[in-house]
Structures are given as C-alpha cells and as structure tokens.
Amino acid sequence: MDGRPANWARNVVFSTGRLERPSSVGELRELVSSSERVRALGSGHSFNRIADTTGVLISTAGLPAVMDIDRDRATVRVAAGVRYGDLAQHLHAAGYALRNLGSLPHISVGGACATATHGSGDGNGNLATAVSALEMVTADGDLVRLTRSADGGEFPGAVVGLGSLGIVTALELEIIPAFEVRQYVYEDVPFTSVTGHFEEIFGSAYSVSVFTDWRGGRGNKVWQKQRVDSPPGAGGAPGDATSGPWGGGGDAEWLGGRLADGPRNPVPGMPAANATEQMGVPGPWHERLPHFRLAFTPSSGEELQSEHLVPREAAVPALQAVAALGDRIAPLLQISEIRTIAADDLWMSMSYQRDTVGMHFTWVKDEPAVVPVVAAIEDALAPFGARPHWGKVSAAPPETAKGLYPRWDDFQALLRSYDPAGKFRNEFMDRYFPHA
C-alpha cells in the first residue's frame, strides 16, 4: 500500500500518501489555502471513496478537543474531530445529553454529521439534526460560521455537506437534560412478527433495533432501549402518548420471541462484554443508546457495510422484498440491523422530508461477492425510493441517486458557490455532482 492511509475496513486505500494532522485552526487554514486538493478524514468509518483525495488528507482529530457547554442556550460547541463517546461522557458529567447516539461511540462528530449518520428511534432524527451551527475552513482559508437562525437559506444544505463545502472545525449541538435507559433484548422473534407488528415493535421504546439474518425464520432479535422516565413499554420522549404502550420491556415473552437470559452482542459469535449493558439494568444514556462500549473496538475491520433507507410507509413491503433475497444475502452476512429515523429538513439527508426505515448490512470482507448482492438489494428496493447511505457500499448510479433528493440541484449550486475551483472535490463527488 506504499504507506498510504486506509479506511476503517481497509477496503479503501486512499489515493494520497500525505496525511496531515494540524494542531490548530490556524495551521489548518494555512494547509487548506496553500493546497490544490484537500479532503477531511473523520474516523475513517466509511466504506467507499467519499473521503478520498489525490492531494492532502486532513485529520481534524489533532485540533484542540473543544467541548464547551452553553447552559443558557442548551448547546455544546464541539470540535469536529471529537468522538461521540468522549463528548457523551463530558456532557453526562455536566448533567446533559444528546437526544440520540449511533451504534458506535467511536465515530467522530464531524464525519457522522457530514454523512447524516444516525441512531434509532421513531422520534429521533439523525445525528446531524442536533446541529444548530457549524464552523468550517473554506477553499481560500477563511473561517466561516453558519447558523440555523441566521443562515436558514443554505444552512440545511451545509450541515450534511459530504465534506465538500470546506473542512468543518467545530459544530454546535443541541443538548437536553441527562436521562437513564434500560435495555432489553428479545431473541427468536419470527420474521412474520417483525413485518406483522412493525409499528408495535418500533413504537415500543425510545430507541429500537431489529437484528436479522433475512432467512425469514426465527433468527431475529429486538433490542429495546427504554427511557427510565417513560412509562414501561412506551416509545418516544417522556410523556409522549403518540406510541404505545406496547409490549416487551422485560416481559418474559413477546411477539413469539423470548427475553434473553443473559447479555448478548449484536454480532453473532462476538463477546457480549463488548456490548452495552442489557437485562433491564438502568444506566446513563450514553452507556445504553450505542450498541457497543467505548472501551472496546467492536470489530477488527474485517467487514463491509451498506445501508438502504426507505420511507416509513413502505417499511413492510420493502422488508419483504429484501427477505426474498435471503438465500443470496445470508451466506455473505455478518449481521443486519433495521432502524427507524424521524424526518428532517437537511437537503442531503437520507431522511429528508420523510420518516425513514434503514436496513443496514454488515458483510464479510469480500467485495467481489458482496457488491452484486448489494446491487440486487438496491434493485429490489428501487420501487420504494431507497436512498443509500453516503458513507457505505452502493451500486446506485448517479442518475438514480439524483432522483431521490428534491434539493439535489440546490446542493450542487451550493458546492459551486463555496468551492468554485473544486479544491474539496474527489472522484466520488465528481461522479455524483459533476463540477461543470
């Protein structure tokens, strides 16, 4: 690999051998202004070439780890390179929380928001929906600040910016009072229960995930993350009466499945000790909402990932369409997760203007075998308007992707406005958003 950096899974070796880790915003500004091509590198947890560049790859992890809480405005200003797990610990110690977290606390705030990465929950938007302001170094080295309140015309296009408007240095995130969560796992749930009781399952707790092997039998697990300050079996925030009360929440049996008799790991065969605590034991939000503990590396990188997000109203037929491919999917699959995400107004978010169901796939690391199956899944989901995750493996051609986002042309115009010379561009962006 000639010493060149690679992504998390090491299925992508970057096109440059130059990786810079500036220690100050001033140093970053000088790097950007003096370079012909640059690109930000988050935590590397992407599975395609969205972060690639032939110029200078810049990690913001070396910038000061700013985590400044503004109690009056209920926000935290955080450096883009900070990991969610570290931010969560800082917030919790001060009595605050984020509304949601992704499966992994190891990912960076800047990279996750730039690609609309998400957790789960009927009432929870993706992680980028918490952003109320962002600061970035633009192509000429200027430091620009955009806010939701003052820059409403372009702010929704800049938050999920795909790393192409500038190098984001810091973000302001909305925060709420800290809360506690209980986590329950139900296993051996029939797939017919997942499709037949979809609303009940995903409305049963603050955050819910279904893990499946797509074989159509009983190899399905439901992970419920229930806020302690909500009624048992009720979804949403405290006092939310829009969903539930449903079942689960510690019942011995539910929807044909049974309560796990011990801790589990979402990935079959992996140690349960790596996963966040279960069995209904109450604990801090940041130690329950992710699936994996910050102290453990959840995988060795021997994986590929894809994800396909469909409108909520199409959930059941979309799940059935994927299950019809179960015989092709299962031999290449480590695990698959189904989650729900609330609608938002961020132009390039996979949940733009629609409540969404995401079908996430963690594959074995065999790209020649996996890509054709991903293509088959995308073909099966095409009638439902499935949007691929920006940071994962996809076979969708640019013309298909363009038709899935109503503000595509506006975003392309925003790219030209902020980066007329294409400094932040790469092969991935040129393919989907031609510069001409």
Side-chain angles (χ1 to χ4, degrees):
M1 295 191 301
D2 305 323
R4 289 176 292 163
N7 66 339
W8 170 291
R10 306 194 73 81
N11 70 306
V12 173
V13 177
F14 294 116
S15 302
T16 181
R18 186 179 176 190
L19 173 62
E20 299 287 349
R21 190 184 171 100
S23 58
S24 70
V25 174
E27 186 182 347
L28 171 60
R29 293 177 66 180
E30 174 59 31
L31 265 173
V32 172
S33 64
S34 62
S35 302
E36 290 187 8
R37 285 279 175 129
V38 294
R39 193 77 177 167
L41 177 66
S43 54
H45 199 262
S46 56
F47 297 83
N48 56 33
R49 291 196 170 273
I50 192 170
D52 197 17
T53 184
T54 55
V56 183
L57 199 60
I58 297 177
S59 169
T60 58
L63 297 178
V66 175
M67 292 181 281
D68 295 336
I69 296 171
D70 186 329
R71 295 178 182 272
D72 293 334
R73 297 176 56 241
T75 61
V76 59
R77 179 175 175 267
V78 57
V82 168
R83 300 185 304 172
Y84 270 98
D86 298 320
L87 172 61
Q89 290 179 340
H90 180 78
L91 289 175
H92 187 74
Y96 289 99
L98 298 171
R99 288 189 178 88
N100 208 4
L101 291 170
S103 299
L104 298 174
H106 311 73
I107 59 177
S108 69
V109 175
C113 291
T115 53
T117 293
H118 58 90
S120 185
D122 283 3
N124 297 321
N126 68 52
L127 301 180
T129 60
V131 178
S132 59
L134 61 85
E135 300 164 24
M136 63 182 173
V137 175
T138 54
D140 55 7
D142 286 346
L143 184 62
V144 172
R145 176 179 168 85
L146 297 175
T147 69
R148 184 190 297 158
S149 57
D151 303 288
E154 61 184 36
F155 183 78
V159 176
V160 182
L162 309 182
S164 296
L165 301 178
I167 306 293
V168 175
T169 58
L171 305 98
E172 261 185 24
L173 307 179
E174 297 169 337
I175 55 178
I176 60 175
F179 56 94
E180 288 198 328
V181 174
R182 293 187 180 96
Q183 185 167 207
Y184 299 97
V185 175
Y186 285 84
E187 49 194 3
D188 298 329
V189 178
F191 191 75
T192 52
S193 290
V194 176
T195 55
H197 297 269
F198 185 89
E199 296 297 332
E200 178 177 350
I201 289 172
F202 285 95
S204 67
Y206 182 76
S207 175
V208 178
S209 295
V210 170
F211 291 93
T212 183
D213 58 10
W214 296 105
R215 293 183 186 271
R218 303 183 67 92
N220 309 284
K221 298 180 178 66
V222 178
W223 286 51
Q224 290 181 312
K225 300 172 189 281
Q226 173 72 52
R227 282 186 64 146
V228 171
D229 53 6
S230 293
D240 179 12
T242 60
S243 57
W246 307 106
D251 295 338
E253 297 181 354
W254 182 43
L255 301 179
R258 57 182 175 80
L259 187 67
D261 59 5
R264 300 290 190 262
N265 190 301
V267 183
M270 296 296 288
N274 294 12
T276 50
E277 191 164 358
Q278 302 145 43
M279 307 295 292
V281 178
W285 59 281
H286 67 288
E287 294 180 359
R288 298 293 185 275
L289 291 180
H291 297 321
F292 300 99
R293 299 176 189 260
L294 181 62
F296 293 91
T297 301
S299 73
S300 61
E302 290 300 315
E303 64 187 57
L304 298 173
Q305 293 184 7
S306 67
E307 187 173 17
H308 319 277
L309 298 101
V310 301
R312 175 67 177 253
E313 61 269 20
V316 171
L319 294 177
Q320 292 168 336
V322 174
L325 300 170
D327 289 345
R328 295 184 63 184
I329 292 171
L332 300 172
L333 191 66
Q334 293 191 35
I335 195 59
S336 185
E337 181 181 7
I338 304 164
R339 291 178 283 180
T340 59
I341 311 99
D344 60 61
D345 65 349
L346 306 176
W347 297 355
M348 303 314 295
S349 164
M350 290 83 69
S351 299
Y352 178 72
Q353 291 190 337
R354 67 190 200 189
D355 290 333
T356 297
V357 175
M359 288 169 270
H360 176 277
F361 299 80
T362 298
W363 304 99
V364 299
K365 192 178 175 183
D366 184 349
E367 202 156 356
V370 166
V371 170
V373 178
V374 171
I377 291 171
E378 290 180 333
D379 286 345
L381 293 176
F384 309 107
R387 294 169 176 165
H389 190 294
W390 287 110
K392 302 186 188 297
V393 174
S394 173
E399 56 271 20
T400 298
K402 181 176 181 179
L404 299 171
Y405 291 88
R407 301 300 295 270
W408 187 281
D409 290 339
D410 294 326
F411 181 69
Q412 193 156 2
L414 198 64
L415 293 177
R416 294 178 185 137
S417 172
Y418 273 85
D419 187 20
K423 179 172 290 192
F424 300 111
R425 287 187 163 272
N426 59 15
E427 182 183 357
F428 181 95
M429 293 303 297
D430 285 342
R431 181 171 180 246
Y432 285 93
F433 303 94
H435 190 241

